[in-house]
Each structure stands twice: as structure tokens, then as C-alpha cells.
């Protein structure tokens, strides 16, 4: 279980996260929606400390992390609990697809090289890139790079995988292949938090949807509830703006 | 006065014999300079108090003074430092033990460190910050990410400039004769004085430097191609 309590984050005087509380159960797929500037990506990045939260507490499993003046070692431990799939893939450019997936296993988790290789190959095959093991990121399409990114995250076997708008940098025709892979792993019971603009995808894959605006969680609930029967005015307006065809 | 081809050919081997020393100085200076340049860059990137200021002054001073002047300053300053270290710190060194090579290595390293720090700073900032984040996200430490991901990529960016620096150093070693180091230029001067044929010896020296630089130009071009393989579109 992942528990965020009172997460706050400010840039200078501007408060981006105003005390976020969120519980994500094991195996749950949570989609975070909201207009740009609502703080959803910042929240996601706080969970593995790519953004430093100013205050609050993050619990992943039985690991508790206080955000105020943390110890360097705790930051490292926190980061090892999660894995991130980035909007711009952020594959290691000087490493092949296979090396990208193996890196965290061999270097951070000290898995023996042979075993890491076997597991990494299996994962790359799973995301449909068994033929691209030795390709460098520059030789892969955006969709292929993002699938390597997903395999890299899966390899770490983390408590939670964080997806930061995983398809928003992709050409439209490549979105499908990436969503397909995410859909597939969602079915396997891996805990995931996804920040996304793909509404129909969120509705289909997520068990729980969170709507954020201006640094707070406005509303959260089951997808069918939140999409078809939103309670808050801000949620209604947001959904109307991005799905003018739907009646809410 | 005519060009004495025979003399030129005869003195060539003597001048060539200076190549190992020229190379020793330039290779040492580029490697040690890379380490210094990297440390200077870290001081500046992380804005380390005091060291950051010192780093700025160091780079500005070295880039703003002629190499020859620096060599002379080192020539007189280093013995003072050695004696001081010997007397005050009780280290077993004194100015009398300093071989000429010590002056050259010190001067050229200090010189190349300043220039390389600029190269390294530019190269490191050319690496996408997302690479560091990706390293953190798979559980690597800052240093592991630096060593395995960021530095190899920065190195590829820096290579052309490192190559330029290295060629500059090879040619710069011709000033080492001023502190009694016997390298290509010193040998050319000796050969010239022996036979009173200055032009022939200096033409020899020019050719030796030129060929040396061509070899290293090729080597760096090959290195660039090899280490930058991951950047190409085709497999």
C-alpha cells in the first residue's frame, strides 16, 4: 500500500501542492487527471523524490519517509521502491535497449549479470522488442523507446510504477502500441499511478481516478462514478472541456 | 644560403628522438588536466564556497596569461614550494631534487586543466538532465549515474575539443626547452647549433610536429566515431 500524507511543494512563493493525501492499494491502477498546472506531474515526481516535497510523509509498504530534511540514504531507499516511466522516455542514450533494462538490476540491485540479462530479455520480448535488444535509443521510434522505458521500470520489480504522461510526447499513430503494453501489465496486478490526458484509456484501465486542480485533490473515486457522475463543479467543467461530446 | 638537404636528413633522427618526451608531457598534461578540469567543474557546478571563487580566478588567470610566462613563473615558484614543503612539512624534498621534467609537467598540467574545465563544463551541461533523473529512477546513486551515464555522454560531446586541446599541447611542449627539458624543439636547437644550420633543423622540427599532429588528429577522429556510435540513426 502507498500512502501519501500532507504532501506539500512550493517553488519560491508559489505553492504547487497544498497538502495531498492519497492512498493507493496494492494492485490498484490509479489515474491522476487534471488541467495542466494542477500539480499532478509534480505529485508523481515527489513519490520518487525527483521533486523534493517541502513537507508531508510518503509510505510505501512498511517504509516510511518524512519529506522534511530527509537522510540521503532514505532518499535512495525511497527511490528504490518505485520506478518511473517518463514523458520523454529518458532512456540512457549511451546504452542499448537491453543495457537500459539491465542497468538498474545489475548496478542498483546487484542481480548477477546473467540472471539480469535473462530477465531483461524476457521483458523486452514481452513489450514486443525481442528483436531490438542491441538497438540504441536513437535507432528506435518514440513508441519503441517508451516500451523499453516500461520494460526498464518493470525489471526493477518495484512496489509501484509511476507513469508521467507516457504517451503525450508520441506521434498519434504510436500511442496505441504503448497503451496496449500498459493495459497488459495493468491486468497483471502491478500497482501503478498514471498521470495521463488519455481520458478513455484512464476510464478503461484505472480502478481509481483522482482529479486534481490547483494543487489539491478535488475529487476521487471509481472511474464510472467520476466520469459519469462527477460531484464537484470543477470536475464537471474539466470533463466538459476535454470531452465536449459526452454528457455530464 | 641554400637548404642543406643532407644536413636536414642527418639531423632528423636526433630530432625524432625528442618525440617520446614531447608525448610524455602532452599525454600527462591532458590526463591530469582532465582530472583537474573535472574537479574545477564540480566546484563551479555545485557552487562550493571559496573553491568556486578560486576556480573562477584560476581559469581566468591561466587563460589570460601566455603559456611561456606561466612556465617561467612555475620555474621559479616550484623550488620555493618544494623547499617550503621540505622545511615546514618535513617532506623529503628540496628544490635541488627537482628534475626539469617536474617544471614542465606542472606547468602544462595547470595550463591544460584550465582550458579543459571549460570544455568539460560545456559538455556536462549538454547532457539532458533527464538522464540523471532516469538514473535516480532505476535506483542508481548520483555518482553511479555520473560515472555510467552522464560522463560517457559528456565525453563524446567533449572529444573534439579535447582533441584540439591535445594538439595544442603537443605544439605547446616546444616551449619546454626553456626549462631544460630535452624534447623535439630542444633537440632541433641542439642540432642547429652543432652545424650552424638553423633553418634545416627548424624545418625538421616543423615536419615532426606536423606528422605527430596528423597522427593524433586521425586517432581522435577514430575515437569520436567509435564512442559516438550510439548517436547514429542506423545500427
Amino acid at each position: 500500500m502507498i500512502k501519501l500524507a500532507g504532501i506539500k511543494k512550493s517553488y519560491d512563493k508559489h505553492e504547487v501542492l497544498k497538502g495531498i493525501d492519497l492512498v493507493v492499494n496494492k494492485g490498484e491502477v490509479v489515474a491522476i487527471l487534471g488541467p495542466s498546472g494542477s500539480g499532478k506531474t509534480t505529485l508523481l515526481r515527489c513519490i520518487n523524490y525527483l521533486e523534493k516535497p517541502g513537507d508531508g510523509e510518503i509510505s510505501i509498504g512498511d517504509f516510511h519517509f518524512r519529506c522534511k530534511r530527509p537522510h540521503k540514504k532514505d532518499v535512495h531507499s525511497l527511490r528504490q521502491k518505485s520506478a518511473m516511466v517518463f514523458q520523454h522516455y529518458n532512456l540512457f542514450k549511451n546504452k542499448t535497449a537491453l543495457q537500459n533494462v539491465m542497468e538498474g538490476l545489475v548496478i542498483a540491485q546487484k542481480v548477477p549479470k546473467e540472471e539480469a540479462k535473462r530477465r531483461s530479455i524476457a521483458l523486452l520480448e514481452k513489450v514486443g522488442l525481442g528483436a531490438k535488444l542491441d538497438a540504441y535509443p536513437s535507432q528506435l521510434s518514440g513508441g519503441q523507446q517508451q516500451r523499453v522505458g516500461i520494460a526498464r521500470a518493470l525489471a526493477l520489480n518495484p512496489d509501484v510504477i509511476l507513469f508521467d504522461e507516457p504517451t503525450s510526447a508520441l506521434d498519434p499513430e504510436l500511442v496505441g502500441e504503448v497503451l496496449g503494453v500498459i493495459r497488459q501489465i495493468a491486468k497483471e496486478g502491478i500497482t501503478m499511478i498514471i498521470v495521463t490526458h488519455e481520458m478513455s484509456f484512464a476510464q478503461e484501465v484505472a480502478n481509481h481516478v483522482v482529479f486534481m486542480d490547483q494543487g489539491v485533490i478535488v475529487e476521487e473515486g471509481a472511474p464510472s462514478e467520476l466520469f459519469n457522475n462527477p460531484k464537484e463543479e470543477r470536475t464537471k467543467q474539466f470533463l466538459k472541456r476535454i470531452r465536449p461530446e459526452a454528457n455530464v | 644560403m641554400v637548404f642543406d638537404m643532407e644536413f636536414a636528413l642527418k639531423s632528423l633522427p636526433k630530432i625524432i628522438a625528442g618525440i617520446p618526451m614531447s608525448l610524455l608531457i602532452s599525454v600527462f598534461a591532458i590526463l591530469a588536466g582532465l582530472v583537474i578540469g573535472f574537479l574545477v567543474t564540480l566546484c563551479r557546478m555545485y557552487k562550493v564556497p571559496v573553491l568556486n571563487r578560486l576556480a573562477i580566478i584560476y581559469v581566468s588567470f591561466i587563460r589570460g596569461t601566455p603559456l611561456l610566462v606561466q612556465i617561467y613563473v612555475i620555474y621559479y615558484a616550484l623550488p620555493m614550494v618544494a623547499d617550503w614543503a621540505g622545511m615546514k612539512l618535513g617532506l623529503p624534498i628540496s628544490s635541488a631534487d627537482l628534475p626539469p621534467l617536474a617544471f614542465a609537467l606542472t606547468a602544462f598540467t595547470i595550463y591544460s586543466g584550465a582550458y579543459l574545465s571549460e570544455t568539460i563544463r560545456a559538455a556536462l551541461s549538454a547532457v539532458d538532465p533527464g538522464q540523471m533523473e532516469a538514473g535516480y529512477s532505476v535506483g542508481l546513486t548520483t555518482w553511479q549515474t555520473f560515472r555510467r551515464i552522464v560522463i560517457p555522454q559528456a565525453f563524446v560531446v567533449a572529444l573534439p575539443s579535447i582533441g584540439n586541446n591535445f594538439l595544442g599541447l603537443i605544439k605547446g611542449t616546444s616551449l619546454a626547452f626553456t626549462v631544460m627539458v630535452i624534447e623535439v624543439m630542444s633537440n632541433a636547437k641542439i642540432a642547429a647549433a652543432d652545424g650552424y644550420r638553423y633553418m634545416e633543423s627548424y624545418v625538421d622540427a616543423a615536419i615532426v610536429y606536423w606528422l605527430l599532429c596528423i597522427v593524433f588528429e586521425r586517432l581522435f577522429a577514430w575515437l569520436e566515431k567509435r564512442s559516438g556510435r550510439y548517436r547514429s540513426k542506423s545500427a
Side-chain angles (χ1 to χ4, degrees):
Chain A
M1 190 175 80
I2 295 148
K3 203 174 149 197
L4 308 179
I7 302 293
K8 285 186 184 171
K9 167 78 189 170
S10 307
Y11 295 109
D12 295 324
K13 291 221 167 66
H14 179 59
E15 199 169 32
V16 217
L17 296 177
K18 300 173 182 164
I20 301 282
D21 301 308
L22 182 66
V23 174
V24 179
N25 293 309
K26 199 167 163 30
E28 213 169 31
V29 178
V30 173
I32 304 180
L33 316 175
S36 63
S38 58
K40 52 194 194 306
T41 288
T42 308
L43 177 66
L44 195 77
R45 288 164 57 85
C46 280
I47 299 175
N48 66 353
Y49 213 72
L50 289 179
E51 298 286 349
K52 297 174 184 147
D55 201 2
E57 200 173 316
I58 302 170
S59 307
I60 301 182
D62 45 18
F63 179 76
H64 303 287
F65 180 84
R66 281 183 182 285
C67 301
K68 250 190 185 164
R69 286 188 292 277
H71 198 276
K72 219 172 155 186
K73 240 168 95 185
D74 290 334
V75 170
H76 191 61
S77 307
L78 177 71
R79 284 189 175 136
Q80 296 205 308
K81 299 279 169 196
S82 62
M84 185 93 167
V85 175
F86 295 90
Q87 183 177 0
H88 296 287
Y89 338 126
N90 290 10
L91 294 186
F92 302 127
K93 289 180 189 152
N94 56 330
K95 305 222 170 255
T96 63
L98 180 59
Q99 289 167 340
N100 261 278
V101 182
M102 284 172 66
E103 186 72 15
L105 284 179
V106 176
I107 305 303
Q109 300 188 357
K110 310 272 185 264
V111 174
K113 221 168 179 177
E114 278 311 305
E115 191 196 331
K117 191 170 174 181
R118 198 169 38 76
R119 277 162 59 184
S120 301
I121 292 175
L123 283 168
L124 282 166
E125 280 168 353
K126 182 173 173 175
V127 299
L129 291 172
K132 297 282 185 186
L133 300 181
D134 296 322
Y136 285 100
S138 63
Q139 297 153 356
L140 297 172
S141 72
Q144 290 171 330
Q145 288 190 56
Q146 193 58 298
R147 284 187 280 152
V148 175
I150 294 170
R152 178 172 74 176
L154 279 172
L156 303 167
N157 204 9
D159 288 17
V160 56
I161 300 184
L162 311 168
F163 291 82
D164 182 14
E165 304 188 22
T167 58
S168 59
L170 292 171
D171 291 339
E173 76 267 24
L174 301 177
V175 169
E177 62 186 72
V178 172
L179 292 184
V181 169
I182 300 175
R183 194 178 284 131
Q184 184 193 342
I185 60 176
K187 283 189 195 133
E188 294 172 11
I190 293 166
T191 315
M192 310 199 287
I193 305 179
I194 309 177
V195 168
T196 182
H197 292 294
E198 303 278 336
M199 291 305 142
S200 53
F201 177 72
Q203 190 164 7
E204 172 205 334
V205 173
N207 330 103
H208 192 83
V209 180
V210 174
F211 175 68
M212 281 181 71
D213 194 14
Q214 292 173 11
V216 295
I217 292 179
V218 176
E219 188 172 355
E220 57 179 308
S224 53
E225 268 302 295
L226 197 125
F227 281 107
N228 302 323
N229 199 7
K231 294 190 178 54
E232 299 290 330
E233 194 51 39
R234 274 193 279 178
T235 320
K236 284 179 195 167
Q237 277 175 3
F238 174 73
L239 290 173
K240 205 181 277 175
R241 260 209 318 278
I242 53 169
R243 301 187 311 176
E245 73 286 356
N247 251 328
V248 276
Chain B
M1 194 166 152
V2 286
F3 188 87
D4 186 342
M5 196 54 149
E6 200 185 326
F7 183 86
L9 288 174
K10 201 168 79 212
S11 12
L12 199 54
K14 274 188 243 165
I15 294 167
I16 287 173
I19 290 181
M21 182 56 83
S22 292
L23 281 185
L24 172 69
I25 298 171
S26 14
V27 170
F28 182 91
I30 200 91
L31 295 179
L34 280 171
V35 175
I36 292 181
F38 187 67
L39 294 177
V40 165
T41 304
L42 288 184
C43 290
R44 298 197 59 182
M45 265 170 48
Y46 289 99
K47 300 245 182 314
V48 181
V50 188
L51 288 182
N52 180 34
R53 292 293 322 165
L54 286 178
I56 292 170
I57 294 169
Y58 160 64
V59 173
S60 162
F61 178 79
I62 296 299
R63 301 212 315 162
T65 50
L67 176 57
L68 183 58
V69 175
Q70 293 165 19
I71 291 172
Y72 279 137
V73 169
I74 293 290
Y75 187 67
Y76 291 101
L78 204 58
M80 282 165 64
V81 174
D83 284 337
W84 178 83
M87 301 224 305
K88 299 268 173 172
L89 305 178
L91 296 177
I93 45 173
S94 81
S95 55
D97 309 333
L98 288 176
L101 186 58
F103 301 111
L105 293 183
T106 310
F108 283 92
T109 298
I110 291 175
Y111 172 78
S112 80
Y115 280 89
L116 287 170
S117 78
E118 294 291 291
T119 298
I120 292 169
R121 200 156 66 106
L124 283 177
S125 56
V127 176
D128 176 8
Q131 297 288 303
M132 200 74 209
E133 294 191 346
Y136 288 145
S137 83
V138 301
L140 301 189
T141 61
T142 306
W143 174 239
Q144 284 170 335
T145 314
F146 239 84
R147 193 166 52 81
R148 302 184 53 85
I149 312 296
V150 176
I151 292 178
Q153 291 181 30
F155 182 71
V156 175
V157 178
L159 250 181
S161 179
I162 293 174
N164 272 336
N165 274 298
F166 188 70
L167 295 196
L169 275 171
I170 290 181
K171 292 174 289 178
T173 56
S174 63
L175 293 173
F177 78 85
T178 55
V179 288
M180 320 301 167
V181 173
I182 309 299
E183 36 66 64
V184 172
M185 191 60 189
S186 320
N187 280 340
K189 278 180 163 304
I190 293 165
D194 277 352
Y196 294 107
R197 307 233 52 130
Y198 289 92
M199 185 174 62
E200 287 78 359
S201 292
Y202 292 149
V203 167
D204 276 354
I207 289 170
V208 167
Y209 281 116
W210 188 26
L211 290 178
L212 212 51
C213 283
I214 289 176
V215 169
F216 280 97
E217 248 179 295
R218 291 279 168 90
L219 183 73
F220 272 96
W222 175 79
L223 258 178
E224 271 169 47
K225 212 173 145 194
R226 211 186 113 83
S227 59
R229 268 183 311 196
Y230 68 84
R231 296 203 287 191
S232 71
K233 285 276 170 215
S234 55

